[in-house]
Amino acid sequence: MSLVRYQNFIHGTYLANTTNEVFDVRNPATDEVIYQVEVADERIQQAAIESAKKGVAQWSAMTGVERSRVLLKAVALLRERNDELARIEVLDTGKPWQEASVVDVVTGADSIEFFAGLAATIEGNQQDLGGDFYYTRREPLGICAGIGAWNYPLQIACWKSAPALACGNVMIFKPSEETPLGALKLAEIFIEAGVPAGVFNVVQGAAEVGQWLTQHPDIEKVSFTGEVGTGKKVMAAAAASNLKDVTMELGGKSPLIIFDDSDVEEAVSGAMLANFYTQGEVCTNGTRVFVQRGIYASFMDQLKARTEANIVLGDPMDPETNMGALISKKHQELVLGYIQSGKQQGATLVTGGDAVSPTSAPNGYFVAPTIFTDCNDEMTIVKEEIFGPVMSVLVFDDEEEVIRRANDTHLGLAAGVFTQDIRRAHRVIHQINAGICWINAYGASPAEMPVGGYKQSGIGRENGIETLKHYTQIKAVYVGMNKLESPF
Ligand code: NDP
């Protein structure tokens, strides 16, 4: 049986490439190739730019209310097709249906709804200067590129396109080649909703296609989600080409701090969410779990018991499954390599530690939820982002110590604190160098709340009103009302 073959989505329709080059996409839970996708060759790349130029001329001339109206239709279509889209995300990523059906499409649609609501509020200001005055216009940047990671493919495409489009820009989006289908479905939905052709094009391929986007002189901005190392390359190319603006959503190694006075059950829930949700493939994961000595024993007892009893690995489409397969065989091996290094460097394995072959999905790339204790700050598993279900537990004694240790990293994406002491909660969070923080919670990321990292975890923000600034530029206009005086 021949495989379904998807093309690039350019100017409102699917467009064939000329080189005939394709790549395979595998279902991580079965190891089977499920479809193929055409690579964006030169023909596609040129067509994407020509289309985006036409798109931006039309879209940026529309009013905020007009843009909002069509974006809201796209939101309605996303919600209507929630299950169909969630299924695509499960097959592409290996994450459980339990999550994808209530989070991935919903949070993507929420972001578009949020920015559609803001589209008509984008405004400049005016100030009197004693007769003369100046005013500002908040203008779109033009053609933006979006480059996505594979863990939340549709959500990332929505989070990037929502503010870009609301502000009157257009976007050429490249999803990860591991998970290319969600963005194509979003492109179809935008067209169906009435977004003009050329406003959201999707180009497919690996790093070369991403590089082409970051180097293109007609692209004014690149919004990137991925690893720190790739982010640095993207920024260098963006600067070298035409000094593009950048938004960088990069990796993390976030601290989760649990004080003695925490509700143990809640703290364990927080730690499990912060490590095992989406099988650990979440950028904001709180993988360095700092536990205060007094609560350590009861915390570990509950953590081990609940991890062993309540986590169900298996066919991700089974509604009972709450932890899925990792994205690829290669990534599974990488995660197992980190687990090996944890053992070698003297951490104690509390549970997990191996690849798993569940009966309902024996060929999938599963790794058991893994907990290490007796960790120290120098171990590789404590220093590096693993992007898998591997938790490192570290013990601490006092507040000053844990703040210092939590901040001892070049990353600064997220952080969490569990405590019943309201003053301590805020005092500690205010001293942590991280962009996304939770108190007595972990992982929630509503469209209203800005997300983005400190230090090498990123530049700029997604979601939240704040993000409008990253997709517009200010034009200041001075108006002379008095006779112009000149020394010449
Ligand atoms: P990568 O950095 O490997 O890839 C990200 C994207 O960049 C992919 O589409 C990739 O293409 C593309 N790419 C690769 N090389 C280049 C290049 N030189 N120029 C332009 N584009 C390029 O990240 P992963 O996909 O492995 O995603 C995991 C990472 O993403 C983790 O570090 C995670 O923390 C981070 N992340 C951050 C988030 C945040 O909001 N802060 C959210 C989600 C993930 P292809 O893969 O097709 O080769």
Side-chain angles (χ1 to χ4, degrees), residues 127-416:
Q127 195 175 11
D128 184 57
L129 301 165
D132 290 0
F133 66 97
Y134 86 90
Y135 66 94
T136 59
R137 287 165 55 80
R138 209 164 253 292
E139 297 181 345
L141 302 170
I143 304 175
C144 301
I147 301 178
W150 41 257
N151 60 340
Y152 280 83
L154 180 68
Q155 188 206 65
I156 291 174
C158 292
W159 284 18
K160 292 196 184 306
S161 58
L165 270 50
C167 293
N169 304 282
V170 301
M171 178 163 270
I172 304 177
F173 187 82
K174 188 199 92 66
S176 163
E177 60 182 333
E178 310 275 7
T179 55
L181 192 46
L184 291 174
K185 293 293 162 189
L186 177 63
E188 288 178 16
I189 283 175
F190 276 142
I191 290 296
E192 207 179 318
V195 173
V199 173
F200 187 75
N201 292 320
V202 179
V203 293
Q204 302 281 4
E208 306 78 61
V209 177
Q211 278 163 359
W212 162 73
L213 285 171
T214 60
Q215 289 164 359
H216 201 286
D218 293 331
I219 295 177
E220 303 295 343
K221 175 182 175 102
V222 55
S223 174
F224 173 80
T225 297
E227 290 171 10
V228 176
T230 320
K232 288 180 181 176
K233 289 184 202 158
V234 166
M235 262 189 91
S241 52
N242 55 332
L243 211 61
K244 289 180 183 59
D245 187 33
V246 293
T247 292
M248 291 277 144
E249 293 291 343
L250 309 178
K253 191 71 195 174
S254 302
L256 171 60
I257 303 171
I258 293 162
F259 284 99
D260 277 348
D261 64 350
S262 306
D263 176 309
V264 181
E265 195 188 331
E266 261 191 26
V268 168
S269 297
M272 289 176 73
L273 266 174
N275 283 272
F276 303 139
Y277 202 74
T278 315
Q279 53 288 334
E281 295 168 328
V282 182
C283 53
T284 49
N285 268 0
T287 47
R288 292 184 294 143
V289 181
F290 291 95
V291 182
Q292 202 165 17
R293 202 171 295 278
I295 200 178
Y296 176 74
S298 56
F299 175 83
M300 288 308 293
D301 285 350
Q302 272 204 39
L303 177 65
K304 181 175 188 306
R306 283 174 58 185
T307 299
E308 288 175 353
N310 299 346
I311 293 190
V312 183
L313 292 111
D315 173 5
M317 283 305 292
D318 182 337
E320 296 302 312
T321 299
N322 59 18
M323 205 171 114
L326 297 185
I327 189 69
S328 63
K329 183 90 197 142
K330 193 171 147 214
H331 190 58
Q332 183 194 34
E333 282 161 9
L334 187 84
V335 171
L336 292 170
Y338 274 112
I339 293 172
Q340 201 51 34
S341 92
K343 290 182 196 162
Q344 278 163 0
Q345 291 175 9
T348 304
L349 185 65
V350 176
T351 187
D354 294 312
V356 183
S357 286
T359 17
S360 58
N363 301 321
Y365 320 128
F366 295 88
V367 170
T370 298
I371 301 169
F372 279 110
T373 190
D374 300 321
C375 299
N376 67 54
D377 298 348
E378 300 312 313
M379 289 174 175
T380 309
I381 53 168
V382 177
K383 284 198 134 16
E384 293 184 14
E385 184 182 43
I386 300 173
F387 226 54
V390 184
M391 183 191 310
S392 299
V393 179
L394 303 119
V395 183
F396 73 95
D397 290 298
D398 64 56
E399 200 177 297
E400 176 276 321
E401 173 206 342
V402 79
I403 292 167
R404 179 176 43 76
R405 291 173 64 193
N407 283 332
D408 184 21
T409 166
H410 65 288
L411 301 171
L413 190 58

Side-chain angles (χ1 to χ4, degrees), residues 97-109:
W97 168 257
Q98 240 190 48
E99 288 181 19
S101 59
V102 296
V103 172
D104 293 54
V105 189
V106 173
T107 52

Side-chain angles (χ1 to χ4, degrees), residues 255 257 259 399-408 415 417 423-434 437 454-455:
I257 303 171
F259 284 99
E399 200 177 297
E400 176 276 321
E401 173 206 342
V402 79
I403 292 167
R404 179 176 43 76
R405 291 173 64 193
N407 283 332
D408 184 21
V417 170
R423 288 185 176 152
R424 173 156 67 188
H426 296 286
R427 186 169 65 231
V428 170
I429 278 296
H430 293 179
Q431 292 177 79
I432 300 289
N433 300 321
C437 297
Y454 280 21
K455 300 198 262 187

